[in-house]
Every structure is written in structure tokens, then in C-alpha cells.
Amino acid sequence: IDTVCIHTPYEGAYYFYLVLFFRLMGLRVITQFHTSISNFLKRWPTLSDHVKIYRLNNALVNLSERDALSMKECGVNSVYIPNPASDSLDIPYKNRSSNNRQILWVGRIDQRVKRVRDAVIILEELVKVIPECRLRIVGQPTNEGEKDALIKLINGKDLAKYISIIGFTDEMDAIYSSTDILLMTSPGEGFPMVLLEAKAHSIPTVMYELP
């Protein structure tokens, strides 16, 4: 091993000792700061105490030029690398069907950081107005408990015929092509890839405000 890559939104004691351990072994360490500084500062009032940890990295990858510049000003070797998008998304999507009343939720199946169960509550109200609508939930659960809680809520609301849980899949182009609305229930995001993907496929998005 020559280099270790760490993907984390926030640091802590475990992260600090992990980076320190790898550096003492003579390995290069690159961390992806998978959030925004503005979101970071909601938890802590300043970066000054935290950049001491980030300086241990050989490089810190940021998701925006502004964040990379801010980290550089704090003495961190920071670089900006944009989230990747498929080359096919550069072409306006012309083959998407519409008016199928298909709603899509994409992400890690998790209530705390993605609020996936909110989608069920929302659909419960929507089917009263548009009974032909359907919701597909695509993504890997954080753990089996999260998936069980989601299924229990769906069954408890008697919505099993309206909602399908697809799980993880690489066939997202086909799923986006038959989607009418993207539903995004995250209470906060650093850089939501699903929003980029939906817009690239000409799909409107309904989401919470992300202050």
C-alpha cells in the first residue's frame, strides 16, 4: 500500500488517530471532505481547531472551489475535484417517457441523514389525489434495521402496492428514463449527486429546503 483514501464528512478522534497511524507508517493519506464548510460550521463555530487534523493529510479533496480556497488559507493542502458525471449526461435526454406518474427516491436508505421514511408519508397524502402514482425507492440500506423499519411503515400505511424498494442497482439510466418526478427528502446535503443526475435527465425535483 502506498496511499490511503478516506471518505468522511466530519472528523473525530477515530479519524485523527487513523490518519496519524497511516502517516507514521509512511503512507500518503488523501481525505475527501464530503460536505461543505458552511454545513460543517453549523456543528462547530470555527475551523481553526480542526484544520490541525486536516494538515496531517497529504491532500484534502473538496467539492467546491470556495471550500478548497478556504482550506488553503488555513494551511491545508486542499484541492478541488468535482463530483463525476457520466459522459452520457452531457447530451440532452430525449428518450425519457413521461406522464406515467412515476416518482423516484434515490439514496442510502437511512432515516437520520436521508429521511427516507418521509417519502412514505408524502406518498400517503399523494395517492389520495393521484391514486395511479407509484414510488420507487432505489438504494442500499445502511443496515437491515433501516430496511425493516421502512417496510413496516409501508405495510402499516397499506401502501405496498404503491411503493417498490429496488435496492442498489447500476441500471440508473433506465430508471431515470421512466421517472416523472424525483423526490429528495434529505434534511441536508454537501453535494447531492441525485439532483445533478435528475436535472441531466430533464426530471423535475421536489425537495426540502437545504439552508
Side-chain angles (χ1 to χ4, degrees), residues 57-78:
N57 287 271
N58 294 93
L60 184 73
V61 176
N62 289 101
L63 296 177
S64 75
E65 292 175 323
R66 184 189 68 176
D67 283 1
L69 181 60
S70 296
M71 285 293 189
K72 281 183 180 179
E73 290 174 347
C74 294
V76 178
N77 183 28
S78 182

Side-chain angles (χ1 to χ4, degrees), residues 109-178:
I109 294 178
D110 183 282
Q111 179 61 15
R112 186 178 66 86
V113 297
K114 300 294 183 183
R115 299 197 66 86
V116 62
R117 283 175 246 160
D118 288 24
V120 179
I121 305 301
I122 291 168
L123 195 78
E124 181 185 24
E125 296 301 316
L126 190 58
V127 294
K128 297 174 184 177
V129 183
I130 309 174
E132 65 270 26
C133 69
R134 296 293 183 270
L135 170 66
R136 289 177 293 179
I137 296 175
V138 178
Q140 189 75 12
T142 302
N143 54 60
E144 286 304 310
E146 287 285 355
K147 185 176 180 180
D148 292 344
L150 177 61
I151 293 173
K152 182 178 179 180
L153 179 62
I154 292 171
N155 292 334
K157 297 290 185 181
D158 197 25
L159 293 172
K161 70 177 182 180
Y162 297 99
I163 302 174
S164 57
I165 302 174
I166 296 175
F168 178 82
T169 177
D170 288 324
E171 304 299 322
M172 287 307 300
D173 265 349
I175 291 174
Y176 279 123
S177 69
S178 59

